[in-house]
Structures are given as C-alpha cells and as structure tokens.
Amino acid sequence: MPVQCSSCGQNRAALKRPKTGHSLCRSCFFWAFEEEVHHTIVSGRLFSRGETVGIGASGGKDSTVLAHVLKVLNERYDYGLKLLLLSVDEGITGYRDDSLETVKRNQQQYDLPLKIVSYEELYGWTMDAIVKQVGLKNNCTFCGVFRRQALDRGAMMLNVDKICTGHNADDVAETVLMNVLRGDIARLRRCTAISTASDGEGAIPRCKPLKYAYEKEIVLYAYFKKLDYFSTECIYSPNAYRGHARTFLKDLEAVRPSAIMDVIHSGENLSVREGVKMPVQGTCSRCGYISSQALGLPKLGIGKHHRLHGKILAQQPLTQEEERKLKAVDF
Amino acid sequence: IRVHCGRGVFRGGGSQTSCDSFEFHRGEPSWDMKQLLAWIRVNLLKERPELFVQGDTVRPGILVLINDADWELMGELEYQLQDQDNVVFISTLHGG
C-alpha cells in the first residue's frame, strides 16, 4: 500500500517528515527542504549581497548537504555570494585524511574553491602527536580550541566575511540539553543563536543555516541526492557526555518527533534573571585571540588547574603539587 | 522470497557493530520487518547488538528504507517483506 505524496498527490511518498508529519515524494521533499533553509537564511539575515562565505567542510553529511544547498540557493535566489569550502586538517590518520579526500571530490563536484588549513602548519602539532602526549582523556579539549581558531585563520587568509557551519537541529538541541545538564548558563544562552555577533573584534561571524533542519532529513537529502559524503566517527572521540544527550534526545524523538524543535524553542526563549554572574569573554594576554581566560590555556575536563592562572600571570612560584597539576598542558 | 539488505555500521561510545550487505532468501510464509530484525540480531551482529537494535525495533536514529522509501510510511515492524524487496539501514552518525 504505497502512500501518495501529500503535496503533489502524484508520486509515491519517499519519507515522512519528522517536523510536520507530512508524507512527501522525493522532489517535493527536496523543494521543501531547500525552501526552509532559504527561509532560515532570509529571516535570520545571515548573508548580504557580495559577501564571501566560507563553508566549514568536513566531508561529513551535514557540511556536504550545506555546501550543496547553499550553492543551489545562491543560484536560485541570486544571493550574490562568493562561496568557498574551508577545511581543517587536524592530523588524524585514518579519519581526517580520508574525509579530506571527500572534501576534495566535493570541490570538483560543486566547483567551489577549497582551502585546507592544518593544525600542523598553524600550531606545529597534529592531533596524532597530541594524543601521543596527553592520551585519550582530554584530547578533544585541544582539538576544540585549535579548530575554533583554525577556521578563523583559514577564513582570514581568504578574506572571508562569514563562516557557516553544518550544525543541524539535532546538534543544537543536544547542546541545549548538555548546557542545562552542566549548568553552563553562559553557553546555554549563546548556543541557540543562529549567528554570532559580527561586532567582535578579530573573530569572523559564524552562522548555522541548517539550524532548523532535522538530522533525518539531512541524511535522506544526501542519500536521495546521492551526495558524496564520508561517514566515520572521529577515532579519538568517544564523547560520552554528548552521546548520552544524543541517545536521550533520539529516544524522545522516537516518541514525539517535535521534541527536537521543542528543545530548541525552549533554549531560544529562556531568559536569564538579572544579576546572574556571567563569565566575561576576554582575550588571551599572550596572542590577543578571544579566550575565556586571560592566558589562553585550554581548560581541561579534570582538575581545577585554571585557578592557578592568576599565579601564572603574576609569575609567582608554584608549589610542586601545582606544577604537577599543570603537567598535562606543559608540553 | 529474495530480499536484499544493505549498508550499515552502527557506532556509539567509541565502539561499533556492523552488518554487511546480504541477500536474504526465504520460502513462504514471508517475514515481517520485526522477524527480519530479530534474525539480523542473532545471525549477523557479532558484538554490541544494542548499537543496532533496541527492544524489538532499530535503535532510534537509525533510518530504515524499504525500496527507497522511509519505513515509517510502510508500517515499520509490521511490513510484510515481498520478493525483490530492498532494505537499507542508514546510520545517522554524529560529527564530521
């Protein structure tokens, strides 16, 4: 008993949309998906004519769909954007080297310029080397801090006005949940924003055009369009905490598909009572890049060594115990 | 009845389980999806089957296509497999 498309009524439906419950055929689904991203871009005023936009491309499903849809919409609606692909090579053998091959094929398929910046050329360290030094416990902290800056640096080399990333609705909802669970009020307030403020000095504004796109639809869009993407999880990242949030959210979605949009909606409409102490985003006293602490040492998941930053900055001598706590970053 | 099943590596928390593409033959009476999943679980998944099945259905987040259509349109577990059906499992992996 094939179900007919509820939009055109002519073709066999190919999927049930989680957001609306509608059954759509392939071509009506492609159209609806693209139009919704267009609506997100227009109503969020993500881009202005003439801008150069760097698409953070990992070769995964999200960024591949993002690159494809932006190229389609840029032509369909004449945004007047100059699009290019921006990739970060973390130096992870067996993972990033393979996914970068996918990005290189995407560059050909979509006819977009590609820039790859590597941790090795920017910082002198690959993630493989870092993991050798610090083990598998805190390596994601380094990777996160490095990636944020690497994308910016790559964007600056190419005179990019904006960076967009493939974060989807499921990602945003997971992040809302994680910030609630960690009591991280500052990030909770920031994490649903569709774009970062463009007034920040130095940092290039970022946006998430797929913020309202369900992961299921992104995967099916890529599958039905036969887009070339790479699907392997990072070999160094079990990322247990996000994994729990993700499993919980997926279980909720199975019962009630709107759960993902509902969590995002809750996150967007939270207001933080006045007088709640917020960390001020500062700049690194050594290099001037945005940093949550005066000296941009990465905050590790374990220990409280960041309490030592005052002492380090004042160049006071540290006790042996304190020296030991710092060991992990002292390479 | 011949059914072709394809594609699938399912991961979570740094470990994985996989089922390779396979052709599936069976005489009458035909199976429904519930029986197919139970059979895959017992016969094909070597380790960590919970990364693929949860209860008697697939783990949430794994997409199932029957003849390239979302199985949510086909009755999911109750769908009666037909000759020449093509079943695809797609993992929605996190991260890029």
Side-chain angles (χ1 to χ4, degrees), chain A residues 3 12-16 23 26 58 61 95-96 171 174 215-216 219 223-224 231-232 242 246 250-251, chain B residues 7 11-14 54 59-61 63 65-70 72-74 79 88 90 92-94 96:
Chain A
V3 179
R12 197 177 77 121
L15 85 157
K16 189 167 171 198
S23 307
R26 277 189 199 199
S58 65
K61 61 182 182 350
Y95 168 63
R96 190 53 89 211
D171 295 332
E174 271 166 32
E215 188 169 63
K216 172 180 172 180
V219 172
Y223 179 81
F224 290 142
S231 65
T232 300
R242 184 174 282 275
R246 176 179 164 79
K250 285 281 170 213
D251 286 345
Chain B
R7 204 175 188 174
R11 288 160 212 266
Q54 183 171 314
R59 183 167 173 239
L63 305 180
L65 298 177
I66 301 169
N67 302 325
D68 268 357
D70 188 354
E72 289 181 39
L73 299 168
M74 320 278 277
Y79 176 79
V88 177
I90 311 177
T92 59
L93 267 179
H94 194 273

Side-chain angles (χ1 to χ4, degrees), chain A residues 233-253:
Chain A
E233 205 165 46
C234 176
I235 51 172
Y236 292 143
S237 133
N239 207 341
Y241 209 70
R242 184 174 282 275
H244 289 307
R246 176 179 164 79
T247 305
F248 177 59
L249 201 68
K250 285 281 170 213
D251 286 345
L252 290 180
E253 187 193 7

Side-chain angles (χ1 to χ4, degrees), chain B residues 9 23 26 32 35 41 49 57 62 65 72 76 85 94-95:
Chain B
V9 182
E23 287 262 336
R26 195 181 150 75
D32 60 18
Q35 287 162 306
R41 185 197 164 111
T57 187
I62 292 176
L65 298 177
E72 289 181 39
E76 302 188 24
D85 271 354
H94 194 273

